[in-house]
Amino acid sequence: MRIKYIKYFLVALASSFCFVIFYSKLKDVARSQREMTEMSSVKTATPQQRVSTTVRKISNIMTPYKLTPFNISEGFRKDIPKNGAYWNRKLHSLLREFDNAVNQTRKDPRSRFRCRPESFELLQTNIQDLQSYPLLYMDFLNGMECRDPPILINQHSKCALKENDQIFLLFAIKSTSKHFERRQAIRETWGREGSYDNGVQVRTVFLLGRSSLDDPNLDKLVSLEAQQFQDLLVWDFQDSFYNLTLKEHVFFKWILDHCPSVSFIFKGDDDVFANTQAILNHLQSLDPAQASSLYTGQIIEKASPLRDSKIKYYVPQTFYEGPYPPYAGGGGFLFSGNLIPSLYHVSFYIPFFPIDDVYTGMCFKALGISSSIHGGFRTFDIREQDRENACVHKDLLLVHKRNPQQTMRLWRNMHSSMLTC
Ligand SMILES: *[C@@H]1O[C@H](CO)[C@@H](O)[C@H](O)[C@H]1NC(C)=O
Ligand SMILES: *[C@@H]1O[C@H](CO)[C@@H](O)[C@H](O)[C@H]1NC(C)=O
Ligand SMILES: *[C@@H]1O[C@H](CO)[C@@H](O)[C@H](O)[C@H]1NC(C)=O
């Protein structure tokens, strides 16, 4: 009898031993599988992706928020009609929120935006003909509330200067990973950093997102380029036309954090030619009132949404209805750095718009800043026969568009001692 019990006991012991071994093996397998997937994801992950996970954790903690006092102008409220279009409704509901909060301490407006995809059903309830929207518009609609992508490559000391010195002009150029040649042409010509006449300081940053999945992965080159030139800012969102408004928003935030005392900002594309000296002369000629509320460029007035779904600037009728406030063509425009805090903050009461320069125009209009026309900005280019003529360019501030070779040639000719105009 006892032996039988011992036998049972031994069998039980042996089987539980086997079970323990089996279980720990199972765990090992699971762990090694997990490690393998982690390793392979590390292997395929770009340096940026690896950075991004650590950065994301940090960016979730909101930095303390100090609200700049501002009002939203009557002009803007009147410009944007109240109607059934999705964006118009979204805007006026945010404006109501703004007004209701006026007498209370306003809460951090950033907390209102939650970055999660809207359900298709909910969007469809709000937009009757959603099925007829272009596919890319769906991406835009889904990302409308995503305003806080982590920064992957930063330039912390871009604006760090000796005491009492400040950056006079910052060139902020919208670019994409694959446009290295354009960036290099800008670095070698109109975007050259340093000290100009009268000792004014000029700096340059290029604003990048991540390349699309269809593009070859250039992350390695981009990080090398950033190390080499220290002028790239890269955020963790997909570089696309509809994401340019997001690019603007994160750039405002970047200035606020890293370059708050810059005097003027030039924001533009990487396929333009800018005449740095003419820009500096113009900025230095402004009186203090003009200098503190500058928004200038080629101002597009009385524009309205284009309704042809095949073009880049298409805006569906059920998305936005009404005219556009006057806005400076996004190819290149200038504005005062001291407007950045209120621009950034007012943008939390204006829903993202798929066209970035229209959106910028709205932000300025909301602050009651009127745009001023400057004839030297030619975002629709000049007469064909003048395009290689350095003399003609001497009086212009900006032309669109020029490729890197044309940019190099124009710059050389403009600065040639042989040039007689
Ligand atoms: C906003 O408007 C109110 C009333 O018109 C005015 O008292 C206040 O000073 C304005 N605030 C700013 C920051 O302009
Ligand atoms: C805010 O307070 C002022 C004066 O106390 C009052 O006239 C105004 O109607 C209030 N505004 C709102 C939106 O409650
Ligand atoms: C903008 O970027 C986000 C984040 O990468 C992406 O999910 C979204 O699809 C992009 N939107 C558009 C319209 O390309």
Side-chain angles (χ1 to χ4, degrees):
M1 232 15 197
R2 271 188 81 179
I3 289 172
K4 214 173 171 185
Y5 276 125
I6 290 170
K7 227 159 77 186
Y8 282 137
F9 177 73
L10 284 179
V11 167
L13 193 71
S15 58
S16 60
F17 185 65
C18 285
F19 183 72
V20 166
I21 289 188
F22 175 71
Y23 183 70
S24 65
K25 271 275 171 277
L26 210 67
K27 260 174 43 186
D28 277 353
V29 169
R31 196 175 56 219
S32 66
Q33 258 170 6
R34 202 169 55 234
E35 273 164 6
M36 257 160 65
T37 43
E38 270 167 14
M39 250 164 60
S40 68
S41 75
V42 165
K43 244 187 250 150
T44 51
T46 61
Q48 292 183 358
Q49 274 166 346
R50 265 172 276 155
V51 175
S52 97
T53 47
T54 48
V55 179
R56 187 169 283 126
K57 278 184 208 123
I58 299 164
S59 89
N60 280 344
I61 308 158
M62 285 190 177
T63 42
Y65 181 79
K66 200 168 137 277
L67 189 80
T68 319
F70 63 89
N71 287 327
I72 295 181
S73 76
E74 279 310 310
F76 177 64
R77 293 161 189 269
K78 289 211 190 80
D79 262 15
I80 314 284
K82 280 186 192 161
N83 53 37
Y86 184 62
W87 193 93
N88 300 58
R89 275 186 288 143
K90 249 177 143 56
L91 171 78
H92 285 286
S93 113
L94 287 176
L95 291 182
R96 272 194 300 281
E97 209 173 294
F98 177 84
D99 293 336
N100 291 336
V102 157
N103 287 348
Q104 302 148 24
T105 15
R106 231 178 249 136
K107 66 171 186 204
D108 187 335
R110 290 174 299 178
S111 61
R112 200 171 349 90
F113 292 89
R114 260 173 294 155
C115 178
R116 48 168 167 65
E118 294 267 23
S119 76
F120 186 77
E121 286 72 26
L122 189 65
L123 279 172
Q124 204 164 27
T125 328
N126 282 300
I127 304 172
Q128 296 300 316
D129 59 345
L130 188 66
Q131 314 87 289
S132 72
Y133 278 36
L135 265 182
L136 269 179
Y137 240 88
M138 295 303 302
D139 285 343
F140 172 76
L141 288 169
N142 275 323
M144 266 178 96
E145 308 266 302
C146 298
R147 290 182 168 230
D148 202 13
I151 190 161
L152 302 172
I153 297 182
N154 200 349
Q155 305 300 337
H156 290 279
S157 43
K158 178 54 70 177
C159 292
L161 281 175
K162 289 186 298 276
E163 259 179 278
N164 298 330
D165 222 354
Q166 70 180 66
I167 307 294
F168 185 71
L169 174 64
L170 179 74
F171 282 114
I173 315 299
K174 298 177 272 180
S175 192
T176 58
S177 312
K178 59 184 166 199
H179 289 165
F180 173 76
E181 205 187 9
R182 296 188 187 180
R183 288 191 289 278
Q184 193 56 25
I186 293 171
R187 288 184 187 110
E188 292 180 16
T189 59
W190 56 267
R192 183 178 62 79
E193 299 192 302
S195 177
Y196 283 70
D197 282 359
N198 299 333
V200 294
Q201 294 289 336
V202 174
R203 295 290 182 276
T204 299
V205 284
F206 296 96
L207 317 176
L208 277 74
R210 308 175 57 112
S211 43
S212 98
L213 288 176
D214 293 339
D215 283 320
N217 188 330
L218 300 180
D219 292 351
K220 265 241 155 64
L221 271 180
V222 167
S223 26
L224 285 174
E225 186 187 346
Q227 271 171 34
Q228 175 74 33
F229 299 103
Q230 315 213 326
D231 56 9
L232 298 190
L233 300 176
V234 185
W235 282 272
D236 190 7
F237 64 82
Q238 197 188 313
D239 242 330
S240 66
F241 177 68
Y242 290 142
N243 266 342
L244 285 178
T245 299
L246 175 61
K247 193 178 264 191
E248 174 116 313
H249 181 79
V250 294
F251 170 63
F252 286 168
K253 176 69 171 31
W254 183 85
I255 297 270
L256 208 54
D257 290 343
H258 296 93
C259 209
S261 56
V262 60
S263 306
F264 298 101
I265 294 153
F266 170 102
K267 187 151 181 288
D269 288 331
D270 61 6
D271 59 353
V272 302
F273 179 89
N275 183 348
T276 312
Q277 198 52 57
I279 289 174
L280 292 174
N281 293 347
H282 173 63
L283 294 175
Q284 287 173 304
S285 75
L286 300 171
D287 65 41
Q290 292 169 320
S292 64
S293 60
L294 184 75
Y295 173 44
T296 193
Q298 176 153 17
I299 306 301
I300 296 147
E301 276 171 302
K302 300 201 177 75
S304 287
L306 300 173
R307 303 301 192 190
D308 176 356
S309 65
K310 285 184 282 299
I311 55 177
K312 187 176 167 190
Y313 302 101
Y314 169 62
V315 172
Q317 198 128 20
T318 52
F319 181 78
Y320 179 76
E321 201 167 354
Y324 293 150
Y327 65 96
F333 60 95
L334 286 166
F335 63 102
S336 313
N338 66 304
L339 296 175
I340 284 280
S342 31
L343 276 173
Y344 176 67
H345 293 147
V346 81
S347 80
F348 283 102
Y349 294 93
I350 307 178
F352 276 179
F353 198 80
I355 305 175
D356 66 323
D357 44 8
V358 171
Y359 184 78
T360 313
M362 290 172 170
C363 293
F364 279 100
K365 180 86 193 195
L367 292 178
I369 307 285
S370 26
S371 48
S372 56
I373 297 174
H374 192 300
F377 286 84
R378 301 295 190 87
T379 53
F380 301 115
D381 216 335
I382 52 177
R383 295 189 310 170
E384 185 128 26
Q385 61 263 43
D386 291 338
R387 292 190 185 162
E388 300 265 338
N389 185 334
C391 285
V392 172
H393 287 78
K394 279 222 135 177
D395 301 321
L396 299 175
L397 272 61
L398 173 132
V399 286
H400 175 262
K401 69 196 246 174
R402 294 290 178 275
N403 67 32
Q405 289 69 28
Q406 292 168 323
T407 292
M408 299 296 295
R409 201 156 51 232
L410 256 177
W411 189 259
R412 207 170 49 238
N413 293 342
M414 274 175 74
H415 293 86
S416 154
S417 53
M418 315 275 276
L419 185 70
T420 47
C421 293

